[in-house]
C-alpha cells in the first residue's frame, strides 16, 4: 500500500480525544477511513502496522481524524508535530440521499468520529437529521461541544441523559434512516432496535492488517456470503446484511 | 514507461524455470488482493494470488490480526472461494507477467487433484505448493512435519503436473524437507512460510491470535533458512520472510534466492519503493540482480 | 528497602522446586555479567550466570553482534572460563537469592560430569541444562535434534544429580523434546533459547553474524512454545524469549510460565522497570503472580 | 542496563559530523563511552540496541558526543530535539599522568572524538601534547577547527598534509606517550609504528550489544588472556596487551 507523507496542520485535544488535521484535496466520502501512522518513512517497526481511522471531517482541503489514545500507534500520532503518513481514503462510506425523512446518527464513544462529516454532508443535501452521542462520562465533553445540535448520553449521567446512546433516543420509528458507529456490541443493539427501519447503516470495527483487501484480516460475517472484508465491502454495512 | 526504464538501466531481470522475469520480486501468497493488483503493475516479475483449496473456506473467526514487535501474527485460516471460483477469476490477477498459483489440500489426493486441475490451465506459469496446512491423514500435523510426507505429496503432484512446481516449506526441518522435495521432483523451494506464534490480550487474559508470524521480525530466521537450503539443493530457492527494503531483497539473493517474495511489508509500504531501493543497490554496487544470487558463498562476495 | 515494599504490596512471589522466589523474574543465561549484578539486586527471584562448559572456551571471532528489527543475532560461542574457574568465582553472582547454574557439554559424558560436579556445590539451587549445543557424537546436531538425544542426556544427568534440573530447549521440536525431558526426570523445562538466524553485511556482501536470534522480535514464537509446552507437561515451565515489558512477563505467565527470564532486553532497559510494570499489572488486575500462571487455559481467564 | 533521559542542550553540525550536548554532572574520564539512543522510553524497537559513543568533551556540567551519521541509530540521534537516553559513563578511559614528556594524540576520522576531552585533561595536568588528526577529505574541516592546535592530514590532500594520520607525524620517538583512536586498522598501524614507546594506548571499536559486560559481544584478542570484553576492560587498551 502506498502511504503519503502529509503535513500536520494541527493536533488538539477535544475532550479526552485528539483531533488531527492534515491537507487532503482528493475526494473523501463520509464513512471512509484512512490507514495512518506517525512519520517513520520508509517504514517504522515501532509500531509496525498503520492504524485505521474514520474521517472526522473533510472540507475539500483539510481532512481531520478524531481518535482516542489507546496504545503506541495513537500515542505517537497524538504527539505528531511535523508530518504523518496516511493512505488514500479507503473502503465504502455511508450511502446518503435515499432517506425520505428524518435521519438519526448514533455515535458511541469515539464512534462519533464519522458523524461530523456525515452531518455536514446531510446538511448539504438538505436531509434533516438528529445526532445522538453516547459516552462513558463527561471527560469527552469537548467533543460534544463540537456537535452543538447533538443530544448526549453518558453512562454515569455526568453529562446529558444517563444511559446508553439508545436510552437518549426517543422513538426510533420517527426516523427513515439510521447511521451508527461505535463498539460492535452497540451496533448489534442498534440493529436490533432499528428492526423495521429500512435504511440502517452500521460502521463496523475490526482489526486491520492492510486496509486494502490484501490480508483478509478484517472480515465480518454476512448472512448471504459468509465472511467478507470490512475494509473493502465496508466499513459501512447495511445492518440487514450482517449476520450479527 | 516505468518498466522500460528499468529494463535498460540496471540488470533487474532473473531467469526462473527457463523464463525471464523482469524483476526478481513477486508477491507472497495471501498478501495481495485483486483490488490492490493495479498498484503493483511493473513492480513484480511474477504474480501469485492467495492459496486456493478444493472447496471454499470461510477461515477463522476474528480477531485474525495481531501486531507484534516489527511483525504481526495472523490466523486467516486460508479463507478462499475454492478452486472453481478462484480459477474463474484468475484474470483479476493478470498483469502480463508469469502467473503462479498457490494450492493447498488436506490430503495427498486433494493436492494431486488441485495440481492436475490447475496445471491444465494455460494461464498458469507455475504452481506453489503450500505445505503448511494440516495433513488430516496424519493427525493434523502439517505436510512439513517430516521428509516422508513431503516426498509423498510432492511425488503425487509431480506425477500429474507438467508445470514447474515450487514447494513452500516452513522453518521447522526446512533443510531436510527441501532435500526431500527436490528428490521428489520439485523445481524450486519457497523458503519460508509464517512461523507458529501466539499473542495474548493481556487485559482480557485471553488468547488474541494464535497463528502465523510474519514481517521484518522474522527476516533473520528466513535468511538463515534460505542460506541453508540453497546450500543443500540445486533447484532455485524463492525467498519469503520479513523482506522490508530493497537491501533486504539484495541480502536474500546473496543468501541464495533467485526470486524474492514481498509479503507483510506490502501492508505498510509501496512495493514500488522496495524495487527502487533494490535498483539503487545494484547501481551503487555495479551488479546485476542475477550476479547477486548466492554470492555470499564465494564467487561474488567482495 | 525496595524488596520489602514489594513483598507486602502485591503477591509477587512464586514457588519453584519447593522454594519461594521473591519475584518470578530471573536473568536469561548469558545476558548478565558479574559487573552488572549489583544493578539488579532486588529484581530477580533467582539468579543464573552464563553457561559453563568443562574447559574454558574462547568463543567465536567478532563481529559477534548484529542488530535486526526488534532484535539481535549473536554468535558468542559460549565463551566462558570453564567450570573450575566458574565455580571458584560463583559468589560474584550471589545476591542472596537461589542460584541456578547453566551447563553445556559436547557429549553426554560431559553433561553428566558437569552436573555431578555442580550438584556437589551447596551454593547451587538448581541446574539449567543448555541443550542448544552441538552434540559431537551425533554429527554436530544439537542435543535438541530429537527426543532420543534429549532423553539420553537428561537421564544421564538425572542419575548423578539430586538438584532440580531444568532442561532448556530450542524452538524446533520443542513439545516432543519437552515430553521426553519430563519423562527422563527433568524438574522443569526452560522454553526457549535463541533461534538459528543469519545476518549479512550488504555492502561487503559477507555474512555478518550467523548465530542465535533473540529479543522482542521472537516473543510471539516463544509465547507459542511456552503455551504448547505447558499444555503438554506437568513440570513447571521457565519462559525465555523476547520479554521486554512487565506486561510481557504477565503474558508469559498466563501462557503457562512459572518463572520468566529477562534476556536481551536487559541490554536496553533496566530490569527494575520491568518488574515495576509487572507489579502495576498485578495491582490493576488485583491478581497475584502465581494466580496468573497458566490462566489462559481456563480458570483464571476473565 | 539503566538509561537516563537527558535534555538535548544542542545538536549542531561540525563538518560532516554531529556534535550533541547534554547535561551530565557525574564524573567522566576521557576515553570512556556511553550507550546512547534517541528517545523511545521505555524502549524502542527502531532501532533496538543503543549505540556506543566516546565522550567528546565534558566540563563537569555538560557532556558532548561527536558522531558520524551512519545508520538508523545515529540518524535519529542527529535529529533529536528534546531528549535522548544515555547510560552512565562506561568502560576504562585513558590512563593519564604517567607521561614523562610530550604526548601524541592520534585521531582517525570520527576517532578524533575522545581527544577534545583528553586534550583538556592533559592541559589541566600540564602535560605537553600534540594532536594529529587524519580524515578522508576536507568535508570534516569543521571538526579540525575545533582543534586549533592540531595538525591535519587528509587522504586526498584537500586539507593539511596528504596521507594518513601517521604520515603527518614527524618522529614518533619524540613522544613519551601515544594515544590513538580510529578504525582498528589504523590502530594496528599505530601500534606497529609506536614500537618501543612505552605508553601507547589505543581506543578500540567493536560492535556492542550491552556496554556493561553482559553480552560478551565486544571482545578483542589479548596476548595473555584470550578474548576480553572491550566495554569492561577497554575501550582503551595498552597497545602491547592486544594480540593484533
Ligand atoms: C474502520 C475503522 C475506523 C476507525 N475509526 C476510528 C476513529 O475514527 N477514531 C478512533 O479513535 N478509533 C478508530 N478506530 C479504532 C482504531 O483503529 C484503534 O483505536 C487503533 O488502531 C488503536 O491503535 P493503538 O496503537 O493506539 O492501540 P494498540 O492496542 O497498541 O494497537 C495494536 C493493534 O491492534 C489494533 N487495534 C487495537 N484496537 C483496535 C480497535 N478498537 N479497532 C481496530 N483495531 C484495533 C491496532 O490497529 C493495532 O494493529 C477505527 C477502527 C476501524 C477498523
Ligand atoms: C567504544 C566505542 C566508541 C565509539 N565512539 C564513537 C564516536 O565517538 N563517534 C562516532 O561517530 N562513532 C563512534 N563509535 C562507532 C559508533 O558506535 C557507530 O558508528 C554507531 O554505532 C553506528 O550506529 P548506526 O545506527 O548509525 O549504524 P548501523 O550500521 O545502522 O548500526 C547497526 C548496528 O551495528 C553497530 N555498529 C555499526 N557500525 C559500528 C561501528 N563502527 N562500531 C561499533 N558498532 C557499530 C551499531 O552499534 C548497531 O548495533 C564508537 C564505537 C565504540 C565501540
Ligand atoms: C495475512 C497473511 C496471509 C497469508 N496467507 C497465505 C496463504 O494463503 N498461503 C501461503 O502460502 N502463505 C500465506 N501467507 C504467508 C506469506 O505468503 C509469507 O510466506 C509470510 O508472511 C512470510 O513473509 P513476510 O514476512 O514477507 O510476510 C500469509 C501471510 C499473511 C501475513
Ligand atoms: C549475548 C547472548 C548470550 C547468550 N548466552 C547464552 C548462554 O550462554 N547460555 C544459554 O543457555 N543461553 C544463552 N543465550 C540465550 C538467552 O539465555 C535467551 O534464552 C535468549 O536470548 C532468548 O531470550 P531473550 O529474547 O529474552 O534474550 C544468550 C543470548 C544472548 C543474547
Ligand atoms: S484489513 Fe486487510 S483485508 Fe481488510
Ligand atoms: S558490549 Fe556486551 S560485553 Fe561488551
Amino acid at each position: 500500500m502506498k502511504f503519503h507523507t502529509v503535513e500536520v496542520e494541527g493536533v488538539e485535544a477535544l475532550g479526552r480525544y485528539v483531533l488531527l488535521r492534515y491537507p487532503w484535496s482528493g475526494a473523501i466520502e463520509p464513512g471512509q477511513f484512512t490507514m495512518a501512522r506517525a512519520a517513520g518513512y520508509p517504514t517504522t517497526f515501532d509500531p509496525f502496522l498503520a492504524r485505521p481511522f474514520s474521517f472526522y471531517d473533510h472540507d475539500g482541503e483539510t481532512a481531520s481524524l478524531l481518535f482516542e489514545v489507546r496504545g503506541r500507534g495513537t500515542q505517537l500520532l497524538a504527539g505528531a508535530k511535523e508530518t504523518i503518513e496516511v493512505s488514500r481514503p479507503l473502503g465504502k462510506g455511508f450511502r446518503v440521499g435515499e432517506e425520505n425523512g428524518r435521519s438519526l446518527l448514533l455515535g458511541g464513544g469515539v464512534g462519533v468520529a464519522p458523524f461530523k462529516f456525515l452531518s455536514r454532508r446531510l446538511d448539504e443535501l438538505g436531509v434533516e437529521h438528529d445526532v445522538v452521542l453516547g459516552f462513558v462520562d463527561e471527560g469527552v465533553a469537548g467533543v460534544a461541544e463540537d456537535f452543538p445540535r447533538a443530544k448526549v448520553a453518558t453512562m454515569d449521567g455526568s453529562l446529558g441523559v444517563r444511559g446508553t446512546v439508545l436510552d437518549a433516543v426517543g422513538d426510533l420509528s420517527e426516523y427513515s434512516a439510521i447511521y451508527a458507529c461505535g463498539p460492535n456490541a452497540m451496533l448489534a443493539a442498534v440493529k436490533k432496535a432499528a428492526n423495521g427501519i429500512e435504511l440502517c447503516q452500521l460502521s463496523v470495527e475490526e482489526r486491520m492488517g492492510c486496509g486494502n483487501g490484501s490480508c483478509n484480516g478484517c472480515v465480518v460475517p454476512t448472512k448471504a456470503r459468509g465472511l467478507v472484508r470490512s475494509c473493502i465491502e465496508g466499513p459501512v454495512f447495511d445492518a440487514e446484511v450482517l449476520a450479527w | 514507461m516505468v518498466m522500460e526504464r528499468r529494463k535498460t538501466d540496471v540488470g533487474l531481470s532473473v531467469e526462473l524455470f527457463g523464463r525471464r522475469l523482469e524483476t526478481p520480486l513477486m508477491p507472497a501468497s495471501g498478501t495481495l488482493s485483486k483490488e490492490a493488483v493495479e498498484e503493483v503493475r511493473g513492480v513484480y516479475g511474477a504474480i501469485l494470488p492467495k492459496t486456493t483449496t478444493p472447496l471454499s473456506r470461510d477461515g477463522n473467526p476474528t480477531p485474525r490480526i495481531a501486531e507484534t514487535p516489527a511483525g504481526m501474527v495472523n490466523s486467516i485460516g486460508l479463507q478462499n472461494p475454492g478452486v472453481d471460483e478462484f480459477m474463474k477469476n484468475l484474470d483479476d490477477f493478470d498483469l502480463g507477467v508469469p502467473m503462479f498459483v498457490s494450492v493447498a489440500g488436506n490430503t495427498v489426493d486433494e493436492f494431486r487433484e488441485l495440481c492436475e486441475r490447475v496445471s491444465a490451465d494455460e494461464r498458469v506459469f507455475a504452481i506453489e505448493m503450500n505445505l503448511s496446512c494440516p495433513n488430516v491423514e496424519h493427525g493434523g500435523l502439517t505436510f512439513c512435519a517430516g521428509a516422508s510426507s513431503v516426498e509423498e505429496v510432492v511425488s503425487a503432484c509431480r506425477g500429474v503436473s507438467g508445470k514447474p512446481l515450487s514447494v513452500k516449506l516452513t522453518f521447522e526441518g526446512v533443510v531436510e524437507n527441501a532435500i526431500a522435495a527436490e528428490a521428489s521432483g520439485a523445481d524450486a523451494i519457497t523458503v519460508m512460510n509464517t512461523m507458529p506464534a501466539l499473542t495474548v490480550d493481556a487485559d482480557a487474559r485471553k488468547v488474541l491470535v494464535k497463528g502465523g508470524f510474519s514481517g521484518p521480525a522474522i527476516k533473520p530466521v528466513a535468511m538463515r533458512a534460505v542460506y541453508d537450503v540453497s546450500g543443500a539443493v540445486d533447484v532455485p530457492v524463492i525467498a519469503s520472510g520479513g523482506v522490508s527494503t530493497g537491501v533486504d531483497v539484495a541480502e536474500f539473493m546473496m543468501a541464495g534466492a533467485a526470486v524474492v517474495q514481498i509479503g507483510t511489508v506490502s501492508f505498510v509500504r509501496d512495493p514500488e519503493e522496495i524495487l527502487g531501493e533494490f535498483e539503487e543497490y545494484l547501481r551503487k554496487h555495479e551488479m546485476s540482480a542475477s550476479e547477486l544470487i548466492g554470492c555470499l558463498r564465494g564467487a561474488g562476495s567482495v
Side-chain angles (χ1 to χ4, degrees), chain B residues 217-238:
Chain B
I218 71 169
K219 182 193 146 196
V221 176
M223 280 287 292
R224 175 68 172 265
V226 166
Y227 185 75
D228 287 351
V229 168
S230 70
V233 299
D234 290 323
V235 293
V237 171
I238 300 176

Side-chain angles (χ1 to χ4, degrees), chain A residues 1-3 37 41-42 45 47-49 51 88 206-207 209-210 212-217 219 227 229 232, chain B residues 30-33 35-36 39 50 58 62 64-65 67 70-71 76 79 208 216 244 264 266-270 273:
Chain A
M1 173 109 93
K2 201 174 163 60
F3 282 80
R37 63 171 181 237
Y41 189 86
F45 301 139
F48 176 59
L49 298 172
R51 311 303 198 220
R88 66 173 192 278
E206 285 293 343
R207 286 175 182 248
C210 64
N212 72 353
S214 291
C215 75
N216 281 292
V219 294
L227 298 166
R229 295 163 302 168
I232 292 283
Chain B
T31 64
L32 178 69
S33 62
E35 291 85 359
E39 287 187 36
K50 185 165 178 67
D58 241 14
T62 58
R64 291 176 166 191
I65 297 282
E67 191 185 46
I76 308 304
Q79 177 175 2
L208 182 60
S244 75
T264 306
S266 67
F267 305 163
V268 298
R269 286 197 79 184
D270 182 357
E273 293 172 2

